Amino acid sequence: SEPDKDKTFHGSRDGFVETLVLNTALIRRRIRYPQLHVEHLQLGALSKTDIALCYIDDRCDHKLLEIIRQKIQTSQIQALTMNQETLAEVLLPHKWYNPFPKFKYTERPDTAAAQLLEGDIVLFVDNSPQAMILPVTLFDIVEEANDYYFPPLTGTYLRLTRLFTTLFTLLFTPLWLYFLANPHLLPSWLSFILLNEPPKVPIIAQLLILELAIDGLRLASLNTPNMLTTSLSMIGAIVVGDFAVQSGWFSPETMLYMAFVAIATHTQPGYELGYALKFMRLLLLILTALFPAWGLWLGLALIFIILLSNKTISRKSYLYPLIPFNYADFKKKVLRIKID
């Protein structure tokens, strides 16, 4: 059935399942090219978990392919307890201070097939309904299947909307906090964003509490029975939100802006990037609160350095084709052009 997370308005309605053979068959059903190779590997001294390494021989990076194959074959882990996450940490150990994802995950066979045709490598792990796509850059991760199931003009609009919304989720509340601390820098036509009355709780405390509360509500919704999800969501939205403002804990503006950020986060096709942006937003908020005059700019510089120092598994720039700049590839990543 169609994955809950990777839904499209048009296109196929099938999705990967927990059986490795069926997942590779869904790829072969779409690509009947003789150069499509599916290698069977095993990982885990105790679990002997089956892994499928998929690639198109005359399109993929063979140097990267050999690196991946060697890392899987020489790993000494006991079992893939967390499926793809365990495999991801085998292939590329994460630095704790860099939350940006190095892999793209999808449950859609059409997306995985398209990435194979572009020369990427796809990994399947038995007992997991997701495919791992590598190597990927930041622009690859924000792409979505809906971009290609519409004509170029509509697809370009959807992609640009997603990119701008992604930028807003990072900068919206930190910029608001910055202008509250520096009202003399605020243009007159934006003066309405200032608070009408002094807050009872510092704005930075309100924003940080709401950041935690939103994730708490997400965790609660995961553990709520389906039949109660809608009713409890309505209770939380009406009762908690209304009384939180009336009691003086939160300002209406804070609730409004955080509601926008919480909803806009779901424009991302992957949870990993959404949480990476959340951590960067928290960094900007804290620095802006500590250093009102220049904390925001320091935070933006740190984020840029983190992104610039980030490398894909093939050791290329995470910001390609923006850095280093390649006009032809950048145009393909930002605009939805005609499919070859």
Side-chain angles (χ1 to χ4, degrees), residues 2 8 31 37 53 82 93 97 104 127 133 144 159 161 176 181 187 202 219 235-236 294 297 299 304 323 338:
E2 185 179 24
T8 59
I31 305 176
H37 291 199
L53 178 62
M82 293 293 109
Y97 57 84
K104 183 176 181 178
N127 301 313
I133 301 169
E144 198 176 39
R159 182 174 295 179
T161 300
W176 180 57
L219 294 175
I235 292 172
W294 47 270
W297 312 115
F304 181 73
I323 299 175
K338 183 179 178 181

Side-chain angles (χ1 to χ4, degrees), residues 84-158:
Q84 269 105 346
E85 180 57 30
T86 307
L87 179 59
E89 294 180 10
V90 168
L91 296 176
L92 190 65
H94 294 287
K95 297 178 180 178
W96 66 269
Y97 57 84
N98 197 328
F100 287 95
K102 306 294 195 308
F103 306 93
K104 183 176 181 178
Y105 300 94
T106 183
E107 295 183 38
R108 297 191 60 87
D110 50 359
T111 299
Q115 296 295 136
L116 283 168
L117 291 170
E118 291 184 6
D120 293 333
I121 297 169
V122 174
L123 285 167
F124 293 101
V125 178
D126 199 19
N127 301 313
S128 174
Q130 288 186 321
M132 286 178 62
I133 301 169
L134 60 154
V136 291
T137 65
L138 181 62
F139 290 94
D140 294 322
I141 294 172
V142 298
E143 279 188 341
E144 198 176 39
N146 272 315
D147 299 347
Y148 296 95
Y149 278 117
F150 287 98
L153 180 60
T154 307
T156 298
Y157 169 76
L158 292 174

Side-chain angles (χ1 to χ4, degrees), residues 75-327:
S75 175
Q76 301 298 320
I77 65 170
Q78 298 296 308
L80 269 72
T81 51
M82 293 293 109
N83 292 327
Q84 269 105 346
E85 180 57 30
T86 307
L87 179 59
E89 294 180 10
V90 168
L91 296 176
L92 190 65
H94 294 287
K95 297 178 180 178
W96 66 269
Y97 57 84
N98 197 328
F100 287 95
K102 306 294 195 308
F103 306 93
K104 183 176 181 178
Y105 300 94
T106 183
E107 295 183 38
R108 297 191 60 87
D110 50 359
T111 299
Q115 296 295 136
L116 283 168
L117 291 170
E118 291 184 6
D120 293 333
I121 297 169
V122 174
L123 285 167
F124 293 101
V125 178
D126 199 19
N127 301 313
S128 174
Q130 288 186 321
M132 286 178 62
I133 301 169
L134 60 154
V136 291
T137 65
L138 181 62
F139 290 94
D140 294 322
I141 294 172
V142 298
E143 279 188 341
E144 198 176 39
N146 272 315
D147 299 347
Y148 296 95
Y149 278 117
F150 287 98
L153 180 60
T154 307
T156 298
Y157 169 76
L158 292 174
R159 182 174 295 179
L160 291 176
T161 300
R162 191 180 309 110
L163 289 172
F164 284 123
T165 305
T166 300
L167 189 62
F168 283 153
T169 59
L170 174 66
L171 297 176
F172 197 44
T173 50
L175 275 175
W176 180 57
L177 183 64
Y178 175 76
F179 283 124
L180 288 181
N182 302 276
H184 60 284
L185 299 176
L186 186 68
S188 58
W189 57 276
L190 284 178
S191 58
F192 65 90
I193 70 171
L194 297 175
L195 297 176
N196 295 324
E197 56 184 28
K200 298 179 182 179
V201 178
I203 293 297
I204 181 60
Q206 294 185 33
L207 292 172
L208 294 179
I209 291 172
L210 286 174
E211 289 279 5
L212 295 176
I214 289 170
D215 280 327
L217 292 175
R218 285 178 182 171
L219 294 175
S221 66
L222 287 175
N223 298 302
T224 303
N226 291 334
M227 64 182 68
L228 299 176
T229 302
T230 303
S231 59
L232 290 179
S233 298
M234 293 176 63
I235 292 172
I238 296 174
V239 177
V240 177
D242 186 36
F243 281 96
V245 174
Q246 291 186 21
S247 65
W249 270 89
F250 301 104
S251 303
E253 294 87 352
T254 309
M255 296 288 289
L256 172 64
Y257 299 149
M258 281 306 305
F260 168 79
V261 170
I263 295 172
T265 301
H266 292 289
T267 60
Q268 292 303 319
Y271 290 109
E272 296 82 6
L273 181 59
Y275 275 104
L277 293 173
K278 181 186 183 71
F279 296 144
M280 297 300 104
R281 185 170 63 249
L282 289 173
L283 173 66
L284 290 177
L285 287 172
I286 293 172
L287 288 176
T288 303
L290 292 176
F291 311 105
W294 47 270
L296 176 67
W297 312 115
L298 174 62
L300 291 174
L302 288 175
I303 293 172
F304 181 73
I305 292 172
I306 291 174
L307 287 171
L308 196 61
S309 63
N310 213 1
K311 301 294 181 183
T312 66
I313 192 172
S314 59
R315 307 310 300 168
K316 294 182 179 179
S317 172
Y318 194 62
L319 295 176
Y320 180 85
L322 183 61
I323 299 175
F325 186 71
N326 184 309
Y327 175 75

